[in-house]
Amino acid sequence: MKNPVRVAVTGAAGQIGYSLLFRIASGSMLGQDQPVILQLLEVTPALKALSGVVMELQDGAFPLLAGVVTTDDPMVAFKDADYALLVGAMPRKAGMERGDLLSANGGIFKPQGEALSEVASRNVKVLVVGNPANTNALIAQQNAPKLDPKQFTAMVRLDHNRALSQLSAKTGKPVGSIKKMTIWGNHSSTQYPDLSQTTVDGTPALELVDQAWYESDFIPTVAKRGAAIIEARGSSSAASAASAAVDHMRDWALGTAEGDWVSMGIPSDGSYGVPEGLIYGFPVTVKNGEYSIVQGLDISEFSRGRMDATAHELEEERAAVRELGLVK
Ligand SMILES: NC(=O)c1ccc[n+]([C@@H]2O[C@H](COP(=O)([O-])OP(=O)(O)OC[C@H]3O[C@@H](n4cnc5c(N)ncnc54)[C@H](O)[C@@H]3O)[C@@H](O)[C@H]2O)c1
Ligand SMILES: O=C(O)C[C@H](O)C(=O)O
C-alpha cells in the first residue's frame, strides 16, 4: 500500500460533492492501492451539513479513506494538498449562461489561488469545476505565483463524455469502441466537440454520420446538454459532473490509454493558433503525471472557425475578469 495523498475538495457539502467524495474515497480516482486523506472546504454556514456528509463517509467504511479534515479556511484545506478539486461555486439557473456567473464566482477563485500558492504541495494538480470553469481556473492560476501555471486545469471532460455517449447512441457502438474525441475551447455553448479525428471501431466517425447530423444535432446537443439537464432536473448536473472530475484527475494522475487521448482545459502554449495563456480545451495525452497537447492534427476551415469562436469568447471572459481586478 502506498502512503496516503491529500485531496482537497471545495464546495464539499454541495450537490457535486455529495457524489464526488464517495467516488474518491472508494479508489475510483487514484486507484485501489492509493489511500487518501480528504481535506474538505465549505463556507461557514455549510459546515453543519458537511459534518453530516462526513458521517456518511465514515459509514461507508472505505478501506482507502485514511482521514478527513473539514474547514472553512482555504489555508487549512489546501495545506500540503497533492490534488485540489475546486467545485465550490454557485451553479447557474434556467435561462442563464455560465458566463453570467463570472462576477459571483470569480471572487472565490482569487483567494483560493493565493492559498494554493502558499500552502499546497509544490506538485499539486488543480482541477476547476465551478463555473465558468475555464476562466475561474485562469483566476486561480494567475493568483498563484509560486506554482507552475500548468498545474491549473479546467473541466471539459463532462462535455467529452457527453460527446462519446451521443456518438455511441447514433452509431449503435459501445462507448469503449470510440477513440480520439476532442472538445476544443470553453466549457460553454461555444465549445467545439470535434469528430474530425474520432474513430468508431477504427472507422472514421465522419464516414458513419452525415454532416447535417454532425453540425445541426451532435454539436448543439453536446454544447447545450448542461442547460437541458437544468431544464429537466431543476438543478444542474451533479453525478455526471462528479464522474467526469474523477475521470479527469485519474487520467492526469495515472495516464491515458495507448492510441487514445482525452480533452482537458489547460493553459494554451499557442498550439493550433489558440492565444497563449487562455485555459482552453485541447486533446491531450498524459504520461508520468504530465499532460501534452496532441500535435500535428489537420484543422479544416470548419474547425478553424469553431475553434476561433470559442477562443474569442474566452478572450472576452479574460478581459472581463481583468476589469474586475481578478487577473493582471
Ligand atoms: N465544469 C463542469 O462541467 C461543471 C459541471 C457541473 C457543475 N459545474 C459547476 O460546479 C459548481 C458547483 O455545482 P453544485 O451543483 O455542486 O453546486 P451546489 O450549490 O450544490 O454546491 C456548491 C457548494 O459550494 C459551496 N461554496 C460556495 N462558495 C464557496 C467557497 N468560497 N469555498 C468553499 N465552498 C463554497 C456552497 O456552500 C455549496 O455547498 C457550479 O458552479 C456548477 O455550475 C461545473
Ligand atoms: O450547465 C451548467 O450550468 C452545469 C454544468 O456546467 C454542465 O455542463 O452540466
Side-chain angles (χ1 to χ4, degrees):
M1 203 54 103
K2 298 175 180 167
N3 288 327
V5 292
R6 295 177 182 275
V7 181
V9 179
T10 75
Q15 286 200 91
I16 295 175
Y18 196 62
S19 184
L20 179 61
L21 302 181
F22 297 85
R23 296 285 305 280
I24 299 171
S26 74
S28 299
M29 188 168 93
L30 296 172
Q32 295 301 326
D33 58 349
Q34 181 59 69
V36 293
I37 298 169
L38 289 173
Q39 305 193 156
L40 309 179
L41 182 69
E42 258 299 349
V43 293
T44 315
L47 286 176
K48 178 161 183 253
L50 184 58
S51 73
V53 178
V54 172
M55 287 159 72
E56 290 203 64
L57 278 167
Q58 291 162 348
D59 295 351
F62 294 104
L64 292 169
L65 187 56
V68 183
V69 174
T70 62
T71 179
D72 56 4
D73 181 354
M75 297 290 274
V76 174
F78 297 143
K79 178 86 182 117
D80 298 326
D82 300 290
Y83 300 88
L85 294 94
L86 309 190
V87 179
M90 187 199 291
R92 67 174 166 154
K93 307 279 183 314
M96 292 169 80
E97 286 296 324
R98 298 181 188 97
D100 296 336
L101 297 169
L102 256 188
S103 56
N105 287 341
I108 295 175
F109 292 87
K110 183 174 192 284
Q112 291 188 356
E114 289 165 350
L116 283 161
S117 188
E118 290 306 320
V119 300
S121 156
R122 297 303 83 187
N123 298 317
V124 65
K125 289 178 161 55
V126 183
L127 166 63
V128 175
V129 174
N131 278 319
N134 302 52
T135 297
N136 287 338
L138 181 74
I139 295 168
Q141 178 212 56
Q142 294 288 299
N143 288 284
K146 297 183 182 169
L147 296 172
D148 183 335
K150 283 192 77 178
Q151 291 172 258
F152 288 81
T153 67
M155 191 162 94
V156 294
R157 186 60 176 265
L158 180 53
D159 311 295
H160 180 102
N161 288 347
R162 287 167 172 165
L164 290 174
S165 127
Q166 291 297 320
L167 183 62
S168 163
K170 176 72 178 172
T171 57
K173 301 282 185 186
V175 162
S177 67
I178 303 174
K179 305 277 182 263
K180 301 187 177 171
M181 180 65 72
T182 304
I183 305 293
W184 299 98
N186 201 1
H187 172 62
S188 77
S189 47
T190 67
Q191 67 179 264
Y192 173 39
D194 179 9
L195 292 182
S196 37
Q197 314 293 332
T198 309
T199 59
V200 183
D201 267 343
T203 305
L206 290 179
E207 288 178 14
L208 301 172
V209 300
D210 55 70
Q211 191 69 17
W213 177 81
Y214 177 41
E215 285 182 33
S216 310
D217 196 330
F218 173 78
I219 293 175
T221 299
V222 173
K224 294 183 186 156
R225 187 69 160 185
I229 287 166
I230 293 169
E231 176 63 28
R233 225 171 74 83
S235 49
S236 69
S237 66
S240 57
S243 193
V246 165
D247 289 346
H248 177 115
M249 278 306 205
R250 185 198 56 232
D251 289 345
W252 191 4
L254 304 179
T256 46
E258 204 56 48
D260 201 3
W261 64 61
V262 296
S263 307
M264 284 172 69
I266 59 170
S268 172
D269 61 358
S271 292
Y272 296 104
V274 175
E276 224 173 307
L278 293 179
I279 308 283
Y280 188 95
F282 281 100
V284 301
T285 55
V286 182
K287 221 175 179 167
N288 302 323
E290 300 280 332
Y291 59 77
S292 323
I293 297 173
V294 177
Q295 297 293 343
L297 304 176
D298 283 335
I299 304 297
S300 66
E301 210 175 304
F302 177 76
S303 293
R304 187 75 263 159
R306 298 272 174 165
M307 288 164 67
D308 289 348
T310 190
H312 181 67
E313 183 185 43
L314 283 168
E315 286 185 301
E316 285 181 350
E317 289 185 12
R318 180 166 64 182
V321 294
R322 264 200 196 122
E323 194 77 12
L324 293 168
L326 296 170
V327 304
K328 277 185 246 94

